[in-house]
Amino acid sequence: EADNDLNLDTKYAKKLENFQRALDGSQEVRPGTRIFADTSAYLDIVINIAYFNGFLVAVGQNGKVVKIDSIGAVSLIWDDNIASALNGSPSGWTTTTFVSFTIFNGELIICNGQNKPLIVHNDMQCEFLKDLADDSNANTPVCRFVVTHGRYLVMAGDIAAGNEDLLYISNTDTSGTWVGDSAPNDAVNVNLGSRVPSGDSTIKGIGRFRDNLMVMFEDAVLPGTLGTFSGDDHIPSFIDAIENVGALSHRAIKTVGEDMLFGDISGVGSSKRALITGSITSNRASVLIDPAYRQHVGELKSTLTLEDRAWAIWDNHADNFMLFIPD
Protein backbone atom coordinates (compact mmCIF):
# COMPACT_ATOMS: atom_id res chain seq x y z
CA GLU A 1 0.00 0.00 0.00
CA ALA A 2 1.33 3.47 -0.89
CA ASP A 3 0.63 6.81 0.80
CA ASN A 4 0.37 8.90 -2.35
CA ASP A 5 2.12 9.53 -5.65
CA LEU A 6 4.98 11.36 -3.90
CA ASN A 7 5.56 8.80 -1.16
CA LEU A 8 5.76 5.29 -2.51
CA ASP A 9 7.33 3.69 0.56
CA THR A 10 5.83 0.31 1.34
CA LYS A 11 3.83 0.25 4.55
CA TYR A 12 3.95 -2.72 6.87
CA ALA A 13 3.52 -3.59 10.52
CA LYS A 14 7.06 -3.73 11.85
CA LYS A 15 6.10 -3.99 15.51
CA LEU A 16 3.24 -5.93 17.06
CA GLU A 17 2.42 -5.98 20.76
CA ASN A 18 0.29 -8.95 21.82
CA PHE A 19 -0.55 -9.57 18.17
CA GLN A 20 0.75 -12.15 15.73
CA ARG A 21 0.50 -13.07 12.07
CA ALA A 22 -2.48 -15.35 11.37
CA LEU A 23 -2.43 -18.28 8.94
CA ASP A 24 -4.05 -16.14 6.22
CA GLY A 25 -1.50 -13.35 6.65
CA SER A 26 -3.76 -11.09 8.71
CA GLN A 27 -3.15 -10.00 12.30
CA GLU A 28 -4.74 -11.70 15.26
CA VAL A 29 -4.55 -11.42 19.03
CA ARG A 30 -1.67 -13.50 20.35
CA PRO A 31 -2.99 -16.20 22.68
CA GLY A 32 -1.60 -16.63 26.15
CA THR A 33 0.53 -19.53 27.32
CA ARG A 34 0.49 -21.82 30.33
CA ILE A 35 3.18 -23.71 32.20
CA PHE A 36 3.73 -27.18 30.75
CA ALA A 37 6.53 -28.33 33.06
CA ASP A 38 8.47 -26.89 35.99
CA THR A 39 12.17 -27.78 35.79
CA SER A 40 13.30 -25.62 38.71
CA ALA A 41 13.95 -28.66 40.92
CA TYR A 42 16.92 -29.49 38.66
CA LEU A 43 17.71 -26.60 36.32
CA ASP A 44 18.51 -23.01 37.23
CA ILE A 45 18.12 -21.32 33.81
CA VAL A 46 17.02 -23.28 30.73
CA ILE A 47 19.60 -22.77 27.97
CA ASN A 48 18.08 -24.84 25.16
CA ILE A 49 15.47 -27.54 24.53
CA ALA A 50 15.16 -30.26 21.88
CA TYR A 51 12.41 -32.77 21.08
CA PHE A 52 13.68 -36.34 21.00
CA ASN A 53 12.08 -39.79 21.20
CA GLY A 54 8.77 -38.51 22.60
CA PHE A 55 10.43 -36.30 25.24
CA LEU A 56 11.59 -32.73 25.55
CA VAL A 57 15.26 -32.68 26.53
CA ALA A 58 16.24 -29.47 28.37
CA VAL A 59 19.72 -28.32 29.39
CA GLY A 60 20.29 -25.91 32.26
CA GLN A 61 22.95 -23.29 32.76
CA ASN A 62 24.16 -25.43 35.68
CA GLY A 63 25.11 -28.19 33.21
CA LYS A 64 22.31 -30.57 34.19
CA VAL A 65 19.98 -32.25 31.66
CA VAL A 66 16.38 -33.34 32.17
CA LYS A 67 13.73 -35.13 30.12
CA ILE A 68 10.11 -33.99 30.11
CA ASP A 69 7.35 -36.40 29.11
CA SER A 70 4.01 -35.73 27.41
CA ILE A 71 2.25 -34.81 30.67
CA GLY A 72 5.00 -32.48 31.89
CA ALA A 73 6.73 -34.84 34.33
CA VAL A 74 10.41 -33.90 34.71
CA SER A 75 13.22 -36.43 35.29
CA LEU A 76 16.94 -35.86 35.69
CA ILE A 77 19.12 -37.68 33.13
CA TRP A 78 22.50 -35.94 33.57
CA ASP A 79 24.41 -34.39 36.46
CA ASP A 80 27.64 -34.97 38.38
CA ASN A 81 26.27 -38.03 40.20
CA ILE A 82 25.17 -39.74 36.98
CA ALA A 83 28.54 -38.92 35.37
CA SER A 84 30.51 -40.28 38.33
CA ALA A 85 28.84 -43.69 37.90
CA LEU A 86 30.45 -44.07 34.45
CA ASN A 87 33.78 -45.78 33.84
CA GLY A 88 36.59 -43.63 35.21
CA SER A 89 34.19 -41.66 37.47
CA PRO A 90 34.33 -38.45 35.40
CA SER A 91 32.77 -35.17 36.45
CA GLY A 92 29.63 -33.90 34.76
CA TRP A 93 29.22 -30.73 32.74
CA THR A 94 30.31 -27.38 34.10
CA THR A 95 28.26 -24.17 33.89
CA THR A 96 27.30 -23.48 30.28
CA THR A 97 25.70 -20.62 28.35
CA PHE A 98 25.20 -22.31 24.97
CA VAL A 99 23.99 -25.71 23.79
CA SER A 100 23.32 -27.21 20.37
CA PHE A 101 21.63 -30.50 19.46
CA THR A 102 21.42 -32.94 16.57
CA ILE A 103 20.01 -36.43 16.05
CA PHE A 104 22.41 -38.94 14.51
CA ASN A 105 21.57 -42.63 13.96
CA GLY A 106 18.52 -42.24 16.20
CA GLU A 107 20.47 -40.81 19.15
CA LEU A 108 20.62 -37.24 20.43
CA ILE A 109 24.01 -35.50 20.51
CA ILE A 110 24.46 -32.44 22.77
CA CYS A 111 27.40 -30.01 22.58
CA ASN A 112 28.24 -26.96 24.70
CA GLY A 113 31.77 -25.97 23.60
CA GLN A 114 33.22 -26.33 27.10
CA ASN A 115 32.93 -30.04 27.92
CA LYS A 116 33.00 -33.30 25.99
CA PRO A 117 29.71 -33.85 24.10
CA LEU A 118 26.87 -35.95 25.50
CA ILE A 119 24.79 -38.65 23.81
CA VAL A 120 21.24 -39.55 24.79
CA HIS A 121 20.27 -43.08 23.73
CA ASN A 122 16.84 -44.38 22.76
CA ASP A 123 16.25 -45.54 26.35
CA MET A 124 16.91 -41.90 27.41
CA GLN A 125 20.11 -42.83 29.24
CA CYS A 126 22.72 -40.10 28.92
CA GLU A 127 26.51 -40.44 28.87
CA PHE A 128 29.59 -38.91 27.28
CA LEU A 129 29.91 -39.44 23.53
CA LYS A 130 32.82 -41.83 22.99
CA ASP A 131 34.50 -44.16 20.54
CA LEU A 132 33.02 -47.60 21.20
CA ALA A 133 36.08 -49.55 20.03
CA ASP A 134 38.46 -47.65 22.31
CA ASP A 135 35.86 -47.01 25.04
CA SER A 136 37.28 -43.49 25.23
CA ASN A 137 36.36 -39.91 24.38
CA ALA A 138 39.96 -38.67 24.42
CA ASN A 139 39.78 -37.69 20.74
CA THR A 140 36.19 -36.45 20.75
CA PRO A 141 36.17 -32.70 19.90
CA VAL A 142 34.94 -30.09 22.35
CA CYS A 143 32.79 -27.85 20.16
CA ARG A 144 29.82 -25.48 20.35
CA PHE A 145 28.09 -26.50 17.11
CA VAL A 146 26.93 -29.90 15.95
CA VAL A 147 24.90 -31.01 12.94
CA THR A 148 24.12 -34.24 11.12
CA HIS A 149 24.88 -34.27 7.41
CA GLY A 150 24.24 -37.49 5.54
CA ARG A 151 26.36 -40.25 7.08
CA TYR A 152 28.50 -37.89 9.14
CA LEU A 153 28.36 -36.08 12.45
CA VAL A 154 29.94 -32.66 12.00
CA MET A 155 31.18 -30.32 14.72
CA ALA A 156 32.65 -26.81 14.77
CA GLY A 157 33.03 -23.91 17.17
CA ASP A 158 36.18 -25.03 18.94
CA ILE A 159 37.07 -22.07 21.17
CA ALA A 160 40.73 -23.12 21.60
CA ALA A 161 43.12 -20.54 20.13
CA GLY A 162 43.92 -21.39 16.52
CA ASN A 163 41.02 -23.82 16.11
CA GLU A 164 38.23 -21.31 15.49
CA ASP A 165 38.12 -22.20 11.76
CA LEU A 166 38.42 -25.98 12.24
CA LEU A 167 35.68 -28.32 11.03
CA TYR A 168 35.50 -31.80 12.59
CA ILE A 169 33.93 -34.63 10.57
CA SER A 170 33.33 -38.04 12.14
CA ASN A 171 34.00 -41.49 10.78
CA THR A 172 31.33 -42.64 8.32
CA ASP A 173 28.15 -43.80 10.12
CA THR A 174 29.77 -43.42 13.55
CA SER A 175 29.12 -40.55 15.95
CA GLY A 176 31.88 -41.25 18.49
CA THR A 177 34.86 -42.02 16.23
CA TRP A 178 37.11 -39.05 15.40
CA VAL A 179 40.62 -38.32 14.17
CA GLY A 180 43.05 -40.27 16.37
CA ASP A 181 40.70 -43.12 17.26
CA SER A 182 41.38 -46.73 16.22
CA ALA A 183 40.89 -48.00 12.67
CA PRO A 184 38.76 -48.46 10.68
CA ASN A 185 38.45 -44.69 10.78
CA ASP A 186 37.99 -42.16 7.96
CA ALA A 187 37.32 -39.15 10.23
CA VAL A 188 38.92 -35.91 9.09
CA ASN A 189 39.51 -32.34 10.31
CA VAL A 190 39.47 -29.44 7.84
CA ASN A 191 40.88 -25.93 8.32
CA LEU A 192 38.65 -23.49 6.43
CA GLY A 193 40.13 -20.13 7.43
CA SER A 194 42.16 -19.64 4.24
CA ARG A 195 39.05 -20.18 2.10
CA VAL A 196 37.03 -17.38 3.69
CA PRO A 197 37.03 -14.49 1.18
CA SER A 198 35.98 -11.70 3.56
CA GLY A 199 35.34 -11.05 7.24
CA ASP A 200 36.51 -13.00 10.24
CA SER A 201 37.45 -16.68 9.77
CA THR A 202 35.82 -17.85 13.00
CA ILE A 203 33.03 -20.33 12.27
CA LYS A 204 29.69 -18.92 13.47
CA GLY A 205 27.51 -21.96 12.74
CA ILE A 206 26.91 -24.97 10.51
CA GLY A 207 23.78 -26.14 8.75
CA ARG A 208 22.39 -28.43 6.06
CA PHE A 209 21.13 -27.41 2.63
CA ARG A 210 20.10 -30.39 0.51
CA ASP A 211 23.34 -32.23 -0.35
CA ASN A 212 25.59 -29.45 0.94
CA LEU A 213 27.06 -28.73 4.33
CA MET A 214 26.85 -24.96 4.89
CA VAL A 215 29.62 -23.51 7.05
CA MET A 216 28.72 -19.98 8.15
CA PHE A 217 31.13 -17.18 9.00
CA GLU A 218 30.67 -13.50 9.88
CA ASP A 219 30.57 -12.34 6.25
CA ALA A 220 30.72 -15.50 4.14
CA VAL A 221 29.20 -18.93 3.63
CA LEU A 222 31.19 -21.94 2.43
CA PRO A 223 29.05 -24.70 0.86
CA GLY A 224 30.77 -28.06 1.15
CA THR A 225 30.31 -31.60 -0.11
CA LEU A 226 31.05 -34.63 2.05
CA GLY A 227 31.48 -38.27 1.10
CA THR A 228 34.19 -37.83 -1.57
CA PHE A 229 37.11 -40.24 -1.13
CA SER A 230 40.63 -40.62 -2.48
CA GLY A 231 41.37 -44.24 -1.69
CA ASP A 232 40.49 -44.58 1.99
CA ASP A 233 40.88 -40.87 2.71
CA HIS A 234 37.79 -38.72 3.08
CA ILE A 235 38.35 -35.49 1.10
CA PRO A 236 35.56 -32.96 1.80
CA SER A 237 35.18 -30.44 -1.00
CA PHE A 238 34.78 -26.66 -0.44
CA ILE A 239 35.23 -25.08 -3.87
CA ASP A 240 32.82 -22.15 -3.66
CA ALA A 241 32.09 -19.21 -1.36
CA ILE A 242 29.16 -16.83 -0.98
CA GLU A 243 30.26 -13.37 0.15
CA ASN A 244 28.47 -10.64 2.12
CA VAL A 245 26.15 -13.01 3.96
CA GLY A 246 26.78 -14.96 7.14
CA ALA A 247 25.27 -15.91 10.46
CA LEU A 248 24.64 -14.30 13.83
CA SER A 249 24.45 -17.63 15.58
CA HIS A 250 24.39 -21.36 14.92
CA ARG A 251 20.88 -21.39 16.37
CA ALA A 252 19.70 -18.77 13.84
CA ILE A 253 20.17 -21.19 10.91
CA LYS A 254 17.15 -23.19 9.73
CA THR A 255 16.66 -25.57 6.82
CA VAL A 256 13.15 -25.18 5.38
CA GLY A 257 12.33 -27.73 2.66
CA GLU A 258 14.44 -26.80 -0.36
CA ASP A 259 15.42 -23.47 1.18
CA MET A 260 17.65 -22.34 4.01
CA LEU A 261 17.11 -19.25 6.16
CA PHE A 262 19.66 -17.62 8.43
CA GLY A 263 20.02 -14.36 10.30
CA ASP A 264 23.21 -12.31 10.03
CA ILE A 265 24.22 -8.78 11.02
CA SER A 266 22.36 -7.21 8.08
CA GLY A 267 19.13 -9.18 7.88
CA VAL A 268 17.71 -12.61 7.11
CA GLY A 269 19.29 -14.34 4.13
CA SER A 270 18.22 -17.41 2.20
CA SER A 271 20.02 -19.99 0.08
CA LYS A 272 18.58 -21.61 -3.00
CA ARG A 273 19.93 -23.69 -5.85
CA ALA A 274 19.96 -21.93 -9.22
CA LEU A 275 17.54 -23.55 -11.68
CA ILE A 276 19.91 -23.80 -14.65
CA THR A 277 23.43 -24.10 -13.24
CA GLY A 278 22.63 -25.85 -9.96
CA SER A 279 24.97 -23.52 -8.09
CA ILE A 280 23.96 -22.17 -4.68
CA THR A 281 22.82 -18.56 -4.57
CA SER A 282 21.80 -16.26 -1.73
CA ASN A 283 19.00 -13.70 -1.51
CA ARG A 284 17.75 -11.32 1.17
CA ALA A 285 14.43 -12.46 2.63
CA SER A 286 13.98 -9.51 5.01
CA VAL A 287 14.17 -6.45 2.75
CA LEU A 288 11.05 -4.80 4.20
CA ILE A 289 12.17 -5.04 7.82
CA ASP A 290 15.93 -4.66 7.41
CA PRO A 291 16.11 -1.15 8.97
CA ALA A 292 14.32 -2.26 12.14
CA TYR A 293 16.30 -5.54 12.16
CA ARG A 294 19.66 -3.76 11.93
CA GLN A 295 18.68 -1.32 14.65
CA HIS A 296 17.97 -4.07 17.17
CA VAL A 297 21.00 -6.16 16.22
CA GLY A 298 23.21 -3.06 16.34
CA GLU A 299 22.14 -2.31 19.89
CA LEU A 300 23.76 -5.55 21.06
CA LYS A 301 27.44 -4.73 21.42
CA SER A 302 28.49 -8.15 22.69
CA THR A 303 29.28 -10.72 20.01
CA LEU A 304 28.87 -13.45 22.60
CA THR A 305 25.35 -12.26 23.38
CA LEU A 306 24.38 -12.63 19.73
CA GLU A 307 26.02 -16.05 19.43
CA ASP A 308 24.55 -17.41 22.65
CA ARG A 309 21.10 -15.83 22.78
CA ALA A 310 19.94 -15.15 19.22
CA TRP A 311 17.94 -18.08 17.87
CA ALA A 312 15.32 -18.92 15.27
CA ILE A 313 12.51 -21.38 14.72
CA TRP A 314 10.52 -22.40 11.66
CA ASP A 315 6.81 -22.77 12.44
CA ASN A 316 5.66 -25.06 9.64
CA HIS A 317 2.01 -24.83 10.75
CA ALA A 318 1.87 -21.03 10.46
CA ASP A 319 4.50 -20.87 7.68
CA ASN A 320 6.58 -18.44 9.75
CA PHE A 321 10.31 -18.01 10.26
CA MET A 322 10.77 -16.38 13.65
CA LEU A 323 14.11 -14.92 14.75
CA PHE A 324 14.52 -14.07 18.43
CA ILE A 325 17.01 -11.37 19.44
CA PRO A 326 17.56 -10.24 23.06
CA ASP A 327 16.00 -6.87 23.95
Side-chain angles (χ1 to χ4, degrees):
E1 179 183 352
D3 267 351
N4 54 54
D5 292 340
L6 299 179
N7 182 5
L8 300 180
D9 288 339
T10 302
K11 301 301 178 183
Y12 57 94
K14 65 180 182 181
K15 185 174 182 180
L16 300 177
E17 294 186 4
N18 291 322
F19 274 79
Q20 67 182 16
R21 178 180 178 272
L23 293 177
D24 62 359
S26 63
Q27 297 176 19
E28 65 180 9
V29 175
R30 181 170 62 89
T33 58
R34 62 183 178 86
I35 293 178
F36 175 69
D38 183 356
T39 63
S40 61
Y42 305 107
L43 309 183
D44 48 0
I45 298 174
V46 177
I47 298 300
N48 202 353
I49 300 176
Y51 179 76
F52 171 67
N53 198 27
F55 293 87
L56 293 174
V57 177
V59 181
Q61 183 174 276
N62 56 9
K64 298 180 181 181
V65 184
V66 300
K67 65 177 182 180
I68 306 166
D69 67 15
S70 59
I71 61 172
V74 181
S75 304
L76 184 68
I77 62 172
W78 182 255
D79 67 354
D80 285 336
N81 291 331
I82 294 173
S84 66
L86 301 175
N87 289 339
S89 301
S91 300
W93 268 13
T94 56
T95 299
T96 183
T97 59
F98 179 92
V99 166
S100 60
F101 302 92
T102 194
I103 295 176
F104 184 86
N105 278 348
E107 297 174 310
L108 182 69
I109 312 298
I110 314 176
C111 291
N112 72 349
Q114 297 177 178
N115 308 107
K116 294 288 185 176
L118 302 177
I119 181 170
V120 181
H121 302 288
N122 283 324
D123 61 2
M124 301 307 294
Q125 298 298 306
C126 183
E127 62 176 330
F128 282 112
L129 179 66
K130 63 182 180 180
D131 178 57
L132 297 180
D134 294 341
D135 193 28
S136 169
N137 65 355
N139 297 306
T140 306
V142 175
C143 291
R144 287 165 57 84
F145 318 134
V146 61
V147 71
T148 299
H149 184 69
R151 302 171 67 184
Y152 304 96
L153 186 67
V154 183
M155 294 186 192
D158 188 337
I159 62 174
N163 291 344
E164 297 90 347
D165 67 339
L166 195 59
L167 191 71
Y168 299 87
I169 304 170
S170 74
N171 176 59
T172 305
D173 297 327
T174 309
S175 61
T177 303
W178 301 87
V179 170
D181 288 325
S182 298
N185 183 2
D186 56 35
V188 62
N189 300 336
V190 184
N191 289 96
L192 295 176
S194 62
R195 312 180 200 200
V196 180
S198 62
D200 192 271
S201 62
T202 298
I203 297 175
K204 293 286 189 177
I206 46 179
R208 302 181 306 273
F209 176 65
R210 300 182 69 174
D211 59 343
N212 288 101
L213 176 72
M214 305 290 277
V215 185
M216 318 290 283
F217 298 85
E218 177 186 61
D219 195 43
V221 179
L222 296 184
T225 303
L226 307 186
T228 303
F229 283 80
S230 176
D232 293 330
D233 296 328
H234 187 189
I235 311 294
S237 175
F238 292 88
I239 60 175
D240 196 8
I242 305 172
E243 294 187 67
N244 302 319
V245 292
L248 290 176
S249 166
H250 174 78
R251 294 180 61 196
I253 304 168
K254 293 297 172 184
T255 300
V256 182
E258 295 188 356
D259 200 351
M260 183 182 187
L261 296 170
F262 47 90
D264 64 13
I265 59 173
S266 299
V268 176
S270 67
S271 292
K272 292 186 178 181
R273 194 176 294 280
L275 182 62
I276 304 300
T277 65
S279 61
I280 296 175
T281 61
S282 177
N283 296 299
R284 283 291 173 201
S286 60
V287 175
L288 292 178
I289 64 168
D290 276 348
Y293 178 99
R294 291 168 185 161
Q295 176 186 346
H296 286 284
V297 170
E299 290 173 352
L300 297 174
K301 305 304 181 184
S302 169
T303 300
L304 193 59
T305 297
L306 286 173
E307 292 180 352
D308 283 358
R309 298 186 58 199
W311 60 283
I313 188 170
W314 172 255
D315 184 347
N316 59 339
H317 294 292
D319 201 30
N320 283 336
F321 173 80
M322 293 181 286
L323 178 64
F324 295 82
I325 299 172
D327 186 353

